Amino acid sequence: MSCDHLICAYCSHPVSEGRCPTCRAARAELHGNGFSVPPMLVLAGLLTLLFAALVLQRCAA
């Protein structure tokens, strides 16, 4: 979803312009704070790396 076509109910201007605090809050909520990785995905990745390291260590010995 994009805020380009949304109209603010408070000031009746496009949300993308951010003319009032309500517009700015809605725009920030829609755009978020960037890319975020779920903690469970990070944990799964770390466990996979740990498992791979243990397997490689076992094969090298």
Side-chain angles (χ1 to χ4, degrees), residues 22-39:
T22 305
C23 292
R24 289 188 288 274
R27 186 174 59 184
E29 183 179 329
L30 284 174
H31 292 287
N33 294 331
F35 182 72
S36 72
V37 179

Side-chain angles (χ1 to χ4, degrees), residues 6-42:
L6 296 177
I7 303 297
C8 179
Y10 186 74
C11 69
S12 300
H13 287 94
V15 171
S16 61
E17 292 178 5
R19 291 188 181 194
C20 72
T22 305
C23 292
R24 289 188 288 274
R27 186 174 59 184
E29 183 179 329
L30 284 174
H31 292 287
N33 294 331
F35 182 72
S36 72
V37 179
M40 289 303 290
L41 186 59
V42 173

